[in-house]
Amino acid sequence: MALFSNEPEKSANLIPPAQKIVASLPSAPASSAPAYLDRGTKINGKLRFEGAARIDGTVDGEIDGKEITIGESGVATAQIRADTIVVHGKVKGEITATNRIEIHPTAKIVGNIAAPKLIIHDGAIFEGQCSMGHEADRDRKVRAVS
């Protein structure tokens, strides 16, 4: 009995605590879970997401990321830039996507949008201008021929 003796307790299965912690850590990648801002969340400022993000709260400012989804209860008064943008809620501001923008029936967008691909579902509301050219095309200047 090691409790009452001066000898340390010996066990064949004893693993130092540091090794137990390392062995029990999951090896899932850090970006495997999308970011989520739930109802009741209110943010003012700049947001940058490395992976997918869903916003069901209120954002006032700028949103940058790879795949941004504005949920049905989401309200964004913001400039939104991403590869793919899906809107179910309300957005007021400029939206720019490098891949596509998808506007669902519950969505209301007031502002200009730009993307090479655009999907607007029946019932969606969009008030603004749309540009579907590539970014390189928009950057070219047209010169007058004289």
Side-chain angles (χ1 to χ4, degrees), residues 5-87:
S5 71
N6 289 336
E7 285 185 38
E9 186 174 342
K10 294 179 184 176
S11 173
N13 295 329
L14 188 60
I15 299 172
Q19 289 179 354
K20 283 185 182 178
I21 292 171
V22 172
S24 66
L25 289 176
S27 59
S31 64
S32 64
Y36 183 65
L37 298 175
D38 202 358
R39 292 180 186 194
T41 304
K42 294 181 182 181
I43 296 179
N44 292 319
K46 295 180 182 181
L47 296 174
R48 177 159 175 80
F49 299 100
E50 294 296 322
R54 181 177 175 95
I55 298 169
D56 282 319
T58 303
V59 176
D60 187 5
E62 296 179 23
I63 304 169
D64 290 313
K66 294 188 189 254
E67 183 180 329
I68 305 293
T69 300
I70 306 296
E72 285 188 35
S73 64
V75 177
T77 304
Q79 181 177 6
I80 304 173
R81 292 178 299 268
D83 294 341
T84 301
I85 301 167
V86 179
V87 181

Side-chain angles (χ1 to χ4, degrees), residues 34-143:
Y36 183 65
L37 298 175
D38 202 358
R39 292 180 186 194
T41 304
K42 294 181 182 181
I43 296 179
N44 292 319
K46 295 180 182 181
L47 296 174
R48 177 159 175 80
F49 299 100
E50 294 296 322
R54 181 177 175 95
I55 298 169
D56 282 319
T58 303
V59 176
D60 187 5
E62 296 179 23
I63 304 169
D64 290 313
K66 294 188 189 254
E67 183 180 329
I68 305 293
T69 300
I70 306 296
E72 285 188 35
S73 64
V75 177
T77 304
Q79 181 177 6
I80 304 173
R81 292 178 299 268
D83 294 341
T84 301
I85 301 167
V86 179
V87 181
H88 296 273
K90 295 177 183 161
V91 176
K92 183 175 181 180
E94 188 174 309
I95 302 173
T96 305
T98 57
N99 185 16
R100 72 181 172 97
I101 296 173
E102 186 171 351
I103 307 170
H104 284 265
T106 55
K108 180 176 181 180
I109 296 176
V110 177
N112 299 332
I113 59 176
K117 296 178 188 173
L118 174 64
I119 302 164
I120 301 177
H121 293 273
D122 191 26
I125 297 171
F126 167 54
E127 297 176 16
Q129 293 184 347
C130 174
S131 172
M132 293 183 64
H134 296 287
E135 284 187 35
D137 293 339
R138 278 185 263 145
D139 292 339
R140 291 185 198 154
K141 294 183 180 178
V142 177
R143 295 184 186 187

